[in-house]
Amino acid sequence: MRIVFITQDDPFYLAKNLDYLLKKMPPYAKVVGTVVADVSPFGKKETMTEKAKKTYDIFGLPFFIRYGLKFVTSKMSKQNSVKYVLEQHQIPLIHLESNINKPDSLDKIRAYKPDLLISIAGNQIFKRPLLDLAPLGCLNLHTALLPKYRGLMPSFWVMRYNEKYTGVSVFFVDEGIDSGPILVQKKVEIGNRSQAELIEYTKQLGMDCIIECIEKIHAGNYELIENDASQMTYFSFPTREDVKAFLAAGKRFY
């Protein structure tokens, strides 16, 4: 099984989780290439200055300082680099010069002859020609119990609304947003975790779920879970008022 990853250069959580995932890959699954987009924490392309200002305005000074320092130190350490982890596992980067859905980008991905695409923190909407490129489809990891909490930053929103449980869903991508049929889903009790602790836990659980998906697809005898659109909720990035409500409810970022 030839696999192409689609991800982004996240300096906080992704490198160590990709390393964990790659070390657990079954012998019949080979990651033959990876598309690595620039990091986009708010779901769209912005300059570094715009990202920094938005982080400060929404989350406040303590959050801004903590994650600003973490961003700088992560960038200074090879171990926190997605590209470094891929290099250590001898996985080539697929360099795209335009949007992933453009014909020239599709041609570059197609050249790696993938059987399966896997999006992990992918930050572009995938259109049908890309989804049809690999015969086994395209999987995506979402750290919430779909169909609830589609969209951005589910770890924030489940805590903002005092959910007792969240989870991880790995689903087949369609042309909607987090709307495809679910292959593997795991439920997680939030408890007294901070948002950072919840992200850490669900990201690694997500890697285990991806492995389980690969095993199910390889075996060919899986059942899909409906991602019921009538039950869906969708969230974008929070406002300053949402952050105030999060903190007023006694929730912690870290």
Side-chain angles (χ1 to χ4, degrees):
M1 183 189 298
R2 295 172 62 85
I3 298 171
V4 165
F5 284 165
I6 302 170
T7 188
Q8 61 175 300
D9 198 13
D10 174 2
F12 298 120
Y13 301 101
L14 198 49
K16 69 177 182 180
N17 282 303
L18 278 178
D19 184 58
Y20 175 85
L21 173 60
L22 289 165
K23 287 175 178 174
K24 294 192 69 176
M25 277 282 173
Y28 51 79
K30 180 177 176 60
V31 180
V32 296
T34 302
V35 176
V36 181
D38 292 335
V39 65
S40 182
F42 296 106
K44 61 181 180 179
K45 301 294 184 183
E46 296 171 314
T47 67
M48 186 59 66
T49 301
E50 289 171 334
K51 292 173 186 175
K53 184 178 185 303
K54 185 177 283 189
T55 301
Y56 176 83
D57 290 344
I58 294 173
F59 295 99
L61 183 60
F63 184 101
F64 177 82
I65 292 173
R66 182 183 181 92
Y67 279 95
L69 290 173
K70 190 172 183 180
F71 177 83
V72 172
T73 55
S74 294
K75 285 294 188 181
M76 295 171 63
S77 170
K78 283 186 176 181
Q79 282 68 29
N80 291 312
S81 166
V82 168
K83 293 179 181 179
Y84 176 78
V85 168
L86 295 172
E87 181 183 330
Q88 294 304 297
H89 288 273
Q90 299 180 314
I91 297 170
L93 295 178
I94 303 174
H95 297 281
L96 304 183
E97 296 176 1
S98 58
N99 182 282
I100 197 168
N101 296 291
K102 296 291 187 181
D104 59 323
S105 296
L106 297 177
D107 288 342
K108 287 183 179 181
I109 298 170
R110 190 178 293 111
Y112 287 80
K113 300 179 181 179
D115 299 304
L116 178 68
L117 304 177
I118 301 179
S119 171
I120 305 170
N123 56 4
Q124 297 184 55
I125 300 296
F126 298 165
K127 296 182 179 179
R128 179 52 55 191
L130 175 62
L131 300 178
D132 291 341
L133 191 150
L136 297 177
C138 177
L139 294 176
N140 185 63
L141 168 65
H142 188 71
T143 50
L145 290 174
L146 294 172
K148 303 291 187 182
Y149 296 97
R150 295 180 184 180
L152 300 180
M153 298 181 65
S155 62
F156 172 86
W157 291 110
V158 295
M159 297 178 73
R160 157 73 174 84
Y161 286 107
N162 295 301
E163 297 284 0
K164 301 297 183 187
Y165 295 91
T166 184
V168 168
S169 306
V170 182
F171 62 94
F172 282 106
V173 181
D174 60 16
E175 291 183 276
I177 298 176
D178 302 329
S179 55
I182 300 160
L183 183 52
V184 170
Q185 188 170 69
K186 304 291 185 184
K187 191 174 183 180
V188 172
E189 185 174 9
I190 297 172
N192 64 353
R193 291 184 174 100
S194 68
Q195 187 202 18
E197 290 167 339
L198 185 61
I199 292 171
E200 289 273 3
Y201 185 82
T202 54
K203 290 290 187 188
Q204 182 164 315
L205 178 61
M207 301 303 111
D208 290 326
C209 289
I210 288 172
I211 293 295
E212 185 175 343
C213 286
I214 291 170
E215 291 170 344
K216 286 177 177 285
I217 291 171
H218 179 70
N221 58 353
Y222 54 83
E223 293 184 10
L224 296 174
I225 303 165
E226 182 182 9
N227 192 345
D228 185 358
S230 70
Q231 302 297 315
M232 67 87 75
T233 56
Y234 174 83
F235 296 89
S236 184
F237 57 86
T239 65
R240 181 62 184 158
E241 285 64 39
D242 290 313
V243 170
K244 289 178 180 177
F246 177 98
L247 296 172
K251 308 301 181 183
R252 298 176 295 120
F253 286 117
Y254 38 80

